[in-house]
Amino acid sequence: MPVIITNMSSKSFPEGFYWGAATASYQVEGGIENTDWAKAAKDSRVPPCDMACDHYHRFIQDFDIAKSLGHNAHRLSVEWARIEPEEGVFDKKAIEHYRQVLLALKDRKMKPFITIWHFTLPLWFSESGGFERRDAPEIFARYSKYVVQQLGDLCEYFSTMNEPSVFASNGWLRGSWPPFKRFALTDMVSITNSGRTFESKANKGFGALFLYLRVMRNLADAHNAAYRSIKEISPRTDVSLVKHVIVFEGKNILNKLFAMVANHFWTHRFMRRIRHHVDTIGLNYYFYKQFGDKRSWRKTDMDWNFAPEKIYEALKILSVYKKPIMVSESGVADDDDSDRAEYIQKQVEGTWRAIQDGMDVRGHMYWSLLDNYEWALGFEKRFGLVEINYQTLERKIRPSAYVYKEICETNSVVEYK
Ligand code: BGC
Protein backbone atom coordinates (compact mmCIF):
# COMPACT_ATOMS: atom_id res chain seq x y z
CA MET A 1 0.00 0.00 0.00
CA PRO A 2 1.73 3.23 -1.10
CA VAL A 3 1.53 5.96 1.49
CA ILE A 4 1.78 9.59 0.43
CA ILE A 5 2.58 11.87 3.28
CA THR A 6 2.37 15.60 3.61
CA ASN A 7 3.76 17.29 6.63
CA MET A 8 1.35 19.60 8.44
CA SER A 9 3.91 21.76 10.10
CA SER A 10 1.06 23.92 11.35
CA LYS A 11 0.29 21.05 13.72
CA SER A 12 3.63 20.68 15.39
CA PHE A 13 4.56 19.47 18.86
CA PRO A 14 6.63 21.27 21.48
CA GLU A 15 10.39 21.09 21.07
CA GLY A 16 11.94 18.16 22.92
CA PHE A 17 8.80 16.04 22.65
CA TYR A 18 9.56 12.34 23.16
CA TRP A 19 8.58 9.99 20.33
CA GLY A 20 8.96 6.25 20.51
CA ALA A 21 7.35 2.91 21.13
CA ALA A 22 6.83 0.72 24.17
CA THR A 23 7.56 -2.90 25.01
CA ALA A 24 7.26 -4.99 28.18
CA SER A 25 9.86 -7.52 29.27
CA TYR A 26 7.74 -10.66 29.53
CA GLN A 27 5.96 -9.93 26.25
CA VAL A 28 9.13 -9.67 24.16
CA GLU A 29 12.26 -10.95 25.90
CA GLY A 30 11.65 -14.70 25.96
CA GLY A 31 13.12 -17.32 28.25
CA ILE A 32 11.51 -16.17 31.51
CA GLU A 33 10.49 -19.26 33.48
CA ASN A 34 10.06 -18.23 37.10
CA THR A 35 6.87 -16.14 36.95
CA ASP A 36 3.19 -16.67 37.70
CA TRP A 37 2.49 -16.45 33.94
CA ALA A 38 5.07 -19.11 33.05
CA LYS A 39 3.54 -21.36 35.69
CA ALA A 40 0.04 -20.70 34.33
CA ALA A 41 1.27 -21.64 30.86
CA LYS A 42 2.69 -24.92 32.20
CA ASP A 43 -0.76 -25.60 33.64
CA SER A 44 -2.36 -24.85 30.22
CA ARG A 45 -4.31 -21.94 31.66
CA VAL A 46 -2.75 -19.39 29.27
CA PRO A 47 -0.71 -19.78 26.07
CA PRO A 48 3.04 -20.31 26.55
CA CYS A 49 5.37 -17.37 25.98
CA ASP A 50 8.57 -19.38 25.40
CA MET A 51 11.11 -17.38 23.37
CA ALA A 52 8.63 -14.57 22.53
CA CYS A 53 10.59 -12.25 20.17
CA ASP A 54 13.92 -13.19 21.74
CA HIS A 55 14.38 -9.49 22.37
CA TYR A 56 16.62 -10.48 25.29
CA HIS A 57 19.32 -11.40 22.77
CA ARG A 58 18.26 -9.13 19.92
CA PHE A 59 17.71 -5.77 21.62
CA ILE A 60 20.54 -4.19 19.63
CA GLN A 61 18.91 -5.11 16.34
CA ASP A 62 15.52 -3.93 17.65
CA PHE A 63 16.88 -0.58 18.83
CA ASP A 64 18.61 -0.10 15.48
CA ILE A 65 15.23 -0.52 13.85
CA ALA A 66 13.57 1.90 16.30
CA LYS A 67 16.32 4.44 15.66
CA SER A 68 15.94 4.06 11.91
CA LEU A 69 12.23 4.79 12.40
CA GLY A 70 12.99 8.17 13.93
CA HIS A 71 12.34 7.31 17.59
CA ASN A 72 14.13 9.44 20.16
CA ALA A 73 12.78 7.53 23.18
CA HIS A 74 11.80 4.04 24.18
CA ARG A 75 9.66 2.62 26.98
CA LEU A 76 10.68 -0.78 28.32
CA SER A 77 10.12 -2.76 31.49
CA VAL A 78 12.54 -4.78 33.59
CA GLU A 79 11.58 -8.26 34.76
CA TRP A 80 11.11 -8.56 38.51
CA ALA A 81 11.60 -12.35 38.43
CA ARG A 82 15.01 -11.95 36.78
CA ILE A 83 16.17 -9.24 39.18
CA GLU A 84 14.83 -10.76 42.42
CA PRO A 85 14.52 -14.49 41.65
CA GLU A 86 14.17 -15.33 45.35
CA GLU A 87 12.76 -13.21 48.10
CA GLY A 88 15.36 -10.59 49.05
CA VAL A 89 18.02 -12.10 46.76
CA PHE A 90 19.03 -9.85 43.88
CA ASP A 91 20.78 -11.04 40.76
CA LYS A 92 23.64 -8.81 39.60
CA LYS A 93 23.77 -10.56 36.22
CA ALA A 94 20.20 -9.54 35.51
CA ILE A 95 21.08 -5.95 36.37
CA GLU A 96 24.13 -6.10 34.13
CA HIS A 97 21.92 -7.19 31.24
CA TYR A 98 19.59 -4.21 31.71
CA ARG A 99 22.58 -1.88 32.00
CA GLN A 100 23.67 -3.10 28.56
CA VAL A 101 20.16 -2.47 27.26
CA LEU A 102 20.21 1.08 28.62
CA LEU A 103 23.68 1.72 27.22
CA ALA A 104 22.47 0.55 23.81
CA LEU A 105 19.69 3.14 23.99
CA LYS A 106 22.14 5.79 25.12
CA ASP A 107 24.44 5.03 22.18
CA ARG A 108 21.48 5.64 19.87
CA LYS A 109 20.46 8.83 21.69
CA MET A 110 17.13 7.33 22.67
CA LYS A 111 15.77 8.35 26.09
CA PRO A 112 14.78 5.35 28.20
CA PHE A 113 11.55 5.20 30.19
CA ILE A 114 11.61 2.22 32.54
CA THR A 115 8.59 0.47 34.00
CA ILE A 116 9.72 -1.33 37.13
CA TRP A 117 6.91 -3.88 37.08
CA HIS A 118 4.68 -4.80 34.11
CA PHE A 119 2.16 -7.49 35.24
CA THR A 120 4.31 -10.62 35.75
CA LEU A 121 5.29 -11.63 39.29
CA PRO A 122 8.21 -13.72 40.50
CA LEU A 123 6.93 -17.12 41.61
CA TRP A 124 8.12 -16.73 45.21
CA PHE A 125 5.92 -13.65 45.49
CA SER A 126 2.82 -14.89 43.64
CA GLU A 127 2.88 -18.28 45.42
CA SER A 128 2.99 -16.59 48.80
CA GLY A 129 -0.05 -14.39 48.08
CA GLY A 130 1.40 -11.67 45.79
CA PHE A 131 -0.41 -8.37 46.15
CA GLU A 132 -2.87 -9.95 48.59
CA ARG A 133 0.01 -10.07 51.10
CA ARG A 134 -0.20 -7.45 53.81
CA ASP A 135 3.52 -6.70 53.43
CA ALA A 136 3.30 -6.43 49.62
CA PRO A 137 3.87 -2.65 49.66
CA GLU A 138 7.18 -2.99 51.53
CA ILE A 139 8.30 -5.86 49.32
CA PHE A 140 7.51 -3.86 46.21
CA ALA A 141 9.19 -0.73 47.55
CA ARG A 142 12.37 -2.66 48.38
CA TYR A 143 12.49 -4.07 44.83
CA SER A 144 11.75 -0.67 43.23
CA LYS A 145 14.44 1.04 45.26
CA TYR A 146 16.96 -1.60 44.26
CA VAL A 147 16.16 -1.13 40.56
CA VAL A 148 16.63 2.64 40.77
CA GLN A 149 19.82 2.25 42.81
CA GLN A 150 21.26 -0.01 40.13
CA LEU A 151 19.97 1.69 36.97
CA GLY A 152 19.28 5.27 38.03
CA ASP A 153 22.57 6.58 36.61
CA LEU A 154 21.41 5.51 33.14
CA CYS A 155 17.76 6.51 33.31
CA GLU A 156 15.87 9.54 34.65
CA TYR A 157 12.32 8.27 34.19
CA PHE A 158 10.88 5.36 36.14
CA SER A 159 7.26 4.20 36.34
CA THR A 160 6.63 1.98 39.32
CA MET A 161 3.85 -0.12 37.80
CA ASN A 162 1.79 -0.66 34.70
CA GLU A 163 -2.02 -0.52 34.77
CA PRO A 164 -2.88 -1.61 38.32
CA SER A 165 -6.62 -1.64 37.51
CA VAL A 166 -6.16 -4.01 34.56
CA PHE A 167 -3.91 -6.31 36.60
CA ALA A 168 -6.41 -6.53 39.47
CA SER A 169 -9.61 -6.76 37.45
CA ASN A 170 -8.28 -9.51 35.16
CA GLY A 171 -6.80 -11.42 38.09
CA TRP A 172 -9.57 -11.06 40.70
CA LEU A 173 -12.82 -10.07 38.91
CA ARG A 174 -12.69 -11.63 35.45
CA GLY A 175 -10.43 -14.52 36.46
CA SER A 176 -8.69 -14.56 33.08
CA TRP A 177 -5.15 -13.85 34.38
CA PRO A 178 -3.17 -15.21 37.31
CA PRO A 179 -4.14 -15.78 40.07
CA PHE A 180 -7.44 -16.66 38.30
CA LYS A 181 -9.96 -15.54 40.88
CA ARG A 182 -13.34 -14.67 39.52
CA PHE A 183 -16.14 -12.58 40.95
CA ALA A 184 -18.95 -14.31 39.06
CA LEU A 185 -20.70 -17.61 39.14
CA THR A 186 -20.42 -18.27 35.44
CA ASP A 187 -17.46 -20.03 33.83
CA MET A 188 -14.92 -18.23 31.69
CA VAL A 189 -15.06 -18.99 28.03
CA SER A 190 -11.92 -20.88 27.06
CA ILE A 191 -9.44 -19.43 24.58
CA THR A 192 -8.21 -21.16 21.45
CA ASN A 193 -4.82 -20.02 20.29
CA SER A 194 -2.66 -21.48 17.53
CA GLY A 195 -4.85 -24.58 17.52
CA ARG A 196 -4.65 -25.19 21.30
CA THR A 197 -7.29 -24.55 23.91
CA PHE A 198 -6.55 -22.88 27.23
CA GLU A 199 -8.90 -22.84 30.21
CA SER A 200 -8.36 -20.30 32.96
CA LYS A 201 -10.12 -22.66 35.44
CA ALA A 202 -10.85 -19.69 37.67
CA ASN A 203 -11.98 -20.06 41.28
CA LYS A 204 -15.41 -18.45 41.32
CA GLY A 205 -17.09 -16.75 44.24
CA PHE A 206 -18.03 -13.55 45.99
CA GLY A 207 -14.85 -13.58 48.07
CA ALA A 208 -12.93 -12.50 44.99
CA LEU A 209 -14.52 -9.06 45.23
CA PHE A 210 -13.10 -8.49 48.71
CA LEU A 211 -9.71 -9.70 47.61
CA TYR A 212 -9.88 -7.41 44.59
CA LEU A 213 -10.54 -4.43 46.85
CA ARG A 214 -7.64 -5.42 49.06
CA VAL A 215 -5.32 -5.82 46.08
CA MET A 216 -6.29 -2.40 44.71
CA ARG A 217 -5.54 -0.83 48.08
CA ASN A 218 -2.23 -2.68 48.33
CA LEU A 219 -1.24 -1.61 44.83
CA ALA A 220 -1.81 2.04 45.70
CA ASP A 221 0.12 1.62 48.95
CA ALA A 222 2.87 -0.23 47.07
CA HIS A 223 3.21 2.58 44.56
CA ASN A 224 3.30 5.22 47.31
CA ALA A 225 5.87 3.27 49.32
CA ALA A 226 8.02 2.78 46.21
CA TYR A 227 7.77 6.48 45.40
CA ARG A 228 9.01 7.40 48.86
CA SER A 229 11.85 4.86 48.80
CA ILE A 230 13.03 6.01 45.38
CA LYS A 231 12.93 9.66 46.37
CA GLU A 232 15.01 8.93 49.48
CA ILE A 233 17.90 7.73 47.38
CA SER A 234 17.35 9.73 44.22
CA PRO A 235 15.25 12.86 44.66
CA ARG A 236 15.73 13.93 41.04
CA THR A 237 14.43 10.73 39.47
CA ASP A 238 11.07 11.32 37.80
CA VAL A 239 8.65 8.76 39.24
CA SER A 240 5.35 8.00 37.57
CA LEU A 241 2.55 5.48 37.53
CA VAL A 242 1.14 4.14 34.27
CA LYS A 243 -2.66 4.32 34.34
CA HIS A 244 -4.97 2.58 31.92
CA VAL A 245 -7.83 4.97 31.22
CA ILE A 246 -11.11 3.87 29.70
CA VAL A 247 -13.02 6.85 28.37
CA PHE A 248 -16.63 6.50 29.50
CA GLU A 249 -19.06 9.04 28.10
CA GLY A 250 -22.81 9.55 27.92
CA LYS A 251 -24.98 12.01 26.03
CA ASN A 252 -28.12 12.38 28.14
CA ILE A 253 -28.27 13.05 31.87
CA LEU A 254 -28.68 9.44 32.95
CA ASN A 255 -25.89 8.16 30.71
CA LYS A 256 -23.65 11.03 31.79
CA LEU A 257 -24.23 9.88 35.35
CA PHE A 258 -23.32 6.29 34.46
CA ALA A 259 -20.17 7.60 32.78
CA MET A 260 -19.23 9.63 35.83
CA VAL A 261 -19.61 6.63 38.11
CA ALA A 262 -17.65 4.39 35.72
CA ASN A 263 -14.82 6.94 35.36
CA HIS A 264 -14.72 7.24 39.11
CA PHE A 265 -14.39 3.51 39.71
CA TRP A 266 -12.02 2.80 36.85
CA THR A 267 -9.72 5.81 37.05
CA HIS A 268 -10.24 8.38 39.77
CA ARG A 269 -10.62 6.09 42.78
CA PHE A 270 -7.09 4.79 42.29
CA MET A 271 -5.60 8.07 41.09
CA ARG A 272 -6.81 9.88 44.20
CA ARG A 273 -4.91 7.43 46.36
CA ILE A 274 -1.62 8.08 44.62
CA ARG A 275 -1.94 11.63 43.30
CA HIS A 276 0.53 13.09 45.81
CA HIS A 277 3.15 10.50 44.91
CA VAL A 278 3.71 11.07 41.20
CA ASP A 279 5.91 13.48 39.28
CA THR A 280 4.43 12.46 35.93
CA ILE A 281 1.47 10.28 34.95
CA GLY A 282 1.65 7.68 32.20
CA LEU A 283 -1.48 7.23 30.09
CA ASN A 284 -2.33 3.95 28.40
CA TYR A 285 -5.32 4.48 26.15
CA TYR A 286 -7.21 1.79 24.21
CA PHE A 287 -10.93 1.90 25.10
CA TYR A 288 -13.82 4.19 24.43
CA LYS A 289 -17.30 3.39 25.68
CA GLN A 290 -20.38 5.54 25.33
CA PHE A 291 -23.37 4.56 27.45
CA GLY A 292 -26.62 4.34 25.48
CA ASP A 293 -24.66 4.30 22.21
CA LYS A 294 -26.50 2.40 19.46
CA ARG A 295 -23.90 2.91 16.72
CA SER A 296 -22.22 -0.16 15.35
CA TRP A 297 -18.56 0.66 15.71
CA ARG A 298 -15.76 -0.20 13.36
CA LYS A 299 -13.62 -2.66 15.37
CA THR A 300 -9.93 -3.37 15.81
CA ASP A 301 -8.59 -6.95 15.70
CA MET A 302 -9.12 -7.01 19.49
CA ASP A 303 -12.81 -6.28 18.85
CA TRP A 304 -12.37 -2.91 20.55
CA ASN A 305 -14.06 0.24 19.22
CA PHE A 306 -11.88 2.03 16.69
CA ALA A 307 -11.68 5.39 18.47
CA PRO A 308 -8.08 6.67 18.44
CA GLU A 309 -9.10 10.34 18.49
CA LYS A 310 -10.73 9.83 21.90
CA ILE A 311 -7.25 9.82 23.38
CA TYR A 312 -8.01 13.53 23.75
CA GLU A 313 -10.70 12.69 26.33
CA ALA A 314 -8.39 10.24 28.11
CA LEU A 315 -5.77 12.97 28.47
CA LYS A 316 -8.45 15.31 29.74
CA ILE A 317 -9.49 12.80 32.40
CA LEU A 318 -5.91 12.65 33.72
CA SER A 319 -5.24 16.37 33.34
CA VAL A 320 -7.28 17.11 36.49
CA TYR A 321 -4.26 15.85 38.49
CA LYS A 322 -2.17 18.74 37.16
CA LYS A 323 0.95 16.71 36.43
CA PRO A 324 2.86 16.27 33.18
CA ILE A 325 1.47 13.35 31.21
CA MET A 326 3.32 10.88 29.03
CA VAL A 327 1.34 8.79 26.55
CA SER A 328 2.98 5.58 27.67
CA GLU A 329 0.91 3.33 25.39
CA SER A 330 -1.69 3.60 22.69
CA GLY A 331 -1.93 1.46 19.60
CA VAL A 332 -3.88 -1.04 17.59
CA ALA A 333 -3.88 -4.76 16.81
CA ASP A 334 -4.03 -4.88 13.03
CA ASP A 335 -2.84 -8.06 11.39
CA ASP A 336 -2.72 -6.81 7.79
CA ASP A 337 -1.60 -3.27 8.69
CA SER A 338 -4.52 -1.80 6.79
CA ASP A 339 -5.72 0.45 9.63
CA ARG A 340 -2.63 1.15 11.73
CA ALA A 341 -1.41 4.29 9.93
CA GLU A 342 -4.84 5.89 10.25
CA TYR A 343 -5.04 4.87 13.90
CA ILE A 344 -1.66 6.36 14.68
CA GLN A 345 -2.36 9.54 12.79
CA LYS A 346 -5.62 10.05 14.69
CA GLN A 347 -4.21 9.28 18.12
CA VAL A 348 -1.34 11.66 17.45
CA GLU A 349 -3.74 14.36 16.28
CA GLY A 350 -5.85 13.83 19.43
CA THR A 351 -2.70 14.26 21.50
CA TRP A 352 -1.79 17.40 19.58
CA ARG A 353 -5.26 18.87 20.20
CA ALA A 354 -4.88 18.17 23.91
CA ILE A 355 -1.63 20.15 23.95
CA GLN A 356 -3.31 23.00 22.08
CA ASP A 357 -5.94 23.06 24.82
CA GLY A 358 -3.28 23.49 27.49
CA MET A 359 -2.66 19.91 28.60
CA ASP A 360 0.95 19.19 29.53
CA VAL A 361 1.83 16.15 27.41
CA ARG A 362 5.53 15.33 27.14
CA GLY A 363 5.76 12.33 24.83
CA HIS A 364 4.06 9.58 22.90
CA MET A 365 4.95 5.87 22.91
CA TYR A 366 3.17 3.72 20.36
CA TRP A 367 2.22 0.24 21.58
CA SER A 368 4.16 -1.64 20.45
CA LEU A 369 7.54 -1.62 18.77
CA LEU A 370 7.28 -5.35 18.03
CA ASP A 371 4.49 -7.87 17.70
CA ASN A 372 4.45 -9.64 21.04
CA TYR A 373 2.83 -11.97 23.56
CA GLU A 374 -0.64 -10.54 24.09
CA TRP A 375 -1.17 -12.18 27.48
CA ALA A 376 -4.05 -14.67 27.59
CA LEU A 377 -4.49 -14.23 23.83
CA GLY A 378 -1.02 -15.52 23.00
CA PHE A 379 0.78 -14.38 19.86
CA GLU A 380 -2.08 -14.00 17.42
CA LYS A 381 -2.83 -10.31 17.94
CA ARG A 382 -0.40 -8.07 16.09
CA PHE A 383 0.29 -4.66 17.63
CA GLY A 384 3.80 -4.13 16.25
CA LEU A 385 5.26 -1.43 14.08
CA VAL A 386 7.54 -4.34 13.31
CA GLU A 387 6.17 -7.74 12.32
CA ILE A 388 7.71 -10.81 13.96
CA ASN A 389 7.88 -14.15 12.24
CA TYR A 390 7.71 -16.41 15.29
CA GLN A 391 9.22 -19.35 13.39
CA THR A 392 12.35 -17.59 12.20
CA LEU A 393 12.26 -14.54 14.52
CA GLU A 394 12.83 -12.39 11.48
CA ARG A 395 11.81 -8.74 11.85
CA LYS A 396 9.94 -6.89 9.10
CA ILE A 397 9.03 -3.21 9.30
CA ARG A 398 5.36 -2.59 8.50
CA PRO A 399 4.37 0.25 6.09
CA SER A 400 2.52 2.11 8.87
CA ALA A 401 5.80 2.40 10.80
CA TYR A 402 6.97 4.84 8.12
CA VAL A 403 3.97 7.09 8.68
CA TYR A 404 4.89 7.16 12.36
CA LYS A 405 8.52 7.81 11.40
CA GLU A 406 7.45 10.91 9.50
CA ILE A 407 5.51 12.07 12.57
CA CYS A 408 8.50 11.49 14.86
CA GLU A 409 11.01 13.13 12.54
CA THR A 410 8.94 16.18 11.69
CA ASN A 411 7.61 16.44 15.27
CA SER A 412 4.17 17.10 13.85
CA VAL A 413 0.90 15.56 12.74
CA VAL A 414 1.13 14.29 9.17
CA GLU A 415 -1.55 13.71 6.58
CA TYR A 416 -1.34 10.62 4.42
CA LYS A 417 -3.45 9.13 1.64
C1 BGC B 1 -0.77 -3.48 28.35
C2 BGC B 1 0.05 -4.26 27.38
C3 BGC B 1 -0.88 -4.95 26.38
C4 BGC B 1 -1.64 -3.88 25.64
C5 BGC B 1 -2.59 -4.39 24.56
C6 BGC B 1 -1.91 -2.71 27.72
O1 BGC B 1 -3.04 -2.77 28.51
O2 BGC B 1 0.05 -2.66 29.12
O3 BGC B 1 0.83 -5.18 28.09
O4 BGC B 1 -0.21 -5.79 25.50
O5 BGC B 1 -2.42 -3.19 26.56
O6 BGC B 1 -3.61 -5.16 25.09
Side-chain angles (χ1 to χ4, degrees), residues 27 118-119 162-163 244 284 286 302 304 329 367 372 374-375 383:
Q27 293 179 271
H118 194 123
F119 294 155
N162 183 67
E163 300 186 349
H244 180 279
N284 286 4
Y286 293 95
M302 296 290 276
W304 299 339
E329 280 181 38
W367 181 268
N372 58 52
E374 181 50 28
W375 304 112
F383 277 90

Side-chain angles (χ1 to χ4, degrees), residues 153-407:
D153 58 325
L154 295 173
C155 179
E156 297 156 54
Y157 298 97
F158 286 86
S159 303
T160 56
M161 56 179 72
N162 183 67
E163 300 186 349
S165 320
V166 172
F167 168 79
S169 59
N170 284 341
W172 281 265
L173 298 181
R174 298 180 66 222
S176 51
W177 288 11
F180 304 106
K181 298 189 182 175
R182 181 163 162 83
F183 173 55
L185 296 179
T186 51
D187 283 318
M188 276 291 292
V189 185
S190 62
I191 290 159
T192 304
N193 191 272
S194 309
R196 278 180 66 192
T197 301
F198 301 92
E199 295 263 5
S200 72
K201 296 181 227 106
N203 292 327
K204 295 164 292 206
F206 293 110
L209 179 62
F210 297 103
L211 290 174
Y212 164 80
L213 293 172
R214 184 203 288 179
V215 167
M216 284 301 284
R217 159 67 64 192
N218 269 348
L219 288 167
D221 290 350
H223 165 80
N224 291 341
Y227 180 90
R228 285 190 295 266
S229 308
I230 295 170
K231 289 289 171 177
E232 256 167 44
I233 53 157
S234 183
R236 290 173 61 187
T237 292
D238 184 287
V239 183
S240 58
L241 176 124
V242 172
K243 183 73 187 79
H244 180 279
V245 173
I246 301 179
V247 175
F248 292 105
E249 285 190 323
K251 292 288 177 215
N252 63 29
I253 294 188
L254 184 66
N255 288 327
K256 277 194 169 104
L257 193 74
F258 285 150
M260 236 170 70
V261 172
N263 283 325
H264 169 78
F265 278 104
W266 187 256
T267 297
H268 295 301
R269 203 173 135 84
F270 189 87
M271 287 305 299
R272 286 190 188 134
R273 287 174 170 162
I274 58 113
R275 65 183 305 174
H276 299 301
H277 293 85
V278 277
D279 304 317
T280 301
I281 302 171
L283 164 68
N284 286 4
Y285 167 71
Y286 293 95
F287 288 108
Y288 173 73
K289 157 102 187 131
Q290 197 184 107
F291 288 99
D293 185 7
K294 301 261 184 325
R295 277 173 294 175
S296 66
W297 278 84
R298 175 179 171 194
K299 299 283 184 184
T300 71
D301 287 358
M302 296 290 276
D303 210 24
W304 299 339
N305 290 348
F306 191 98
E309 67 287 351
K310 295 287 181 185
I311 197 170
Y312 175 91
E313 263 68 37
L315 288 163
K316 200 161 177 192
I317 288 175
L318 288 184
S319 68
V320 300
Y321 298 102
K322 304 211 176 320
K323 300 281 181 188
I325 303 174
M326 166 65 94
V327 176
S328 35
E329 280 181 38
S330 183
V332 66
D334 179 22
D335 192 15
D336 62 5
D337 204 43
S338 54
D339 294 332
R340 186 173 285 101
E342 178 187 350
Y343 198 97
I344 292 177
Q345 197 261 2
K346 290 192 166 145
Q347 77 187 37
V348 166
E349 185 154 25
T351 306
W352 176 81
R353 277 206 302 123
I355 297 173
Q356 301 317 296
D357 289 350
M359 295 176 223
D360 183 2
V361 189
R362 302 287 174 91
H364 177 278
M365 304 290 143
Y366 174 79
W367 181 268
S368 179
L369 178 63
L370 311 172
D371 285 341
N372 58 52
Y373 178 74
E374 181 50 28
W375 304 112
L377 300 179
F379 288 103
E380 286 176 359
K381 303 294 173 198
R382 305 280 185 156
F383 277 90
L385 293 171
V386 178
E387 181 184 340
I388 301 288
N389 176 330
Y390 290 107
Q391 264 70 54
T392 61
L393 293 174
E394 187 197 335
R395 275 81 170 134
K396 195 163 146 204
I397 299 174
R398 292 200 164 100
S400 57
Y402 293 105
V403 175
Y404 190 46
K405 175 182 159 94
E406 191 71 15
I407 291 172

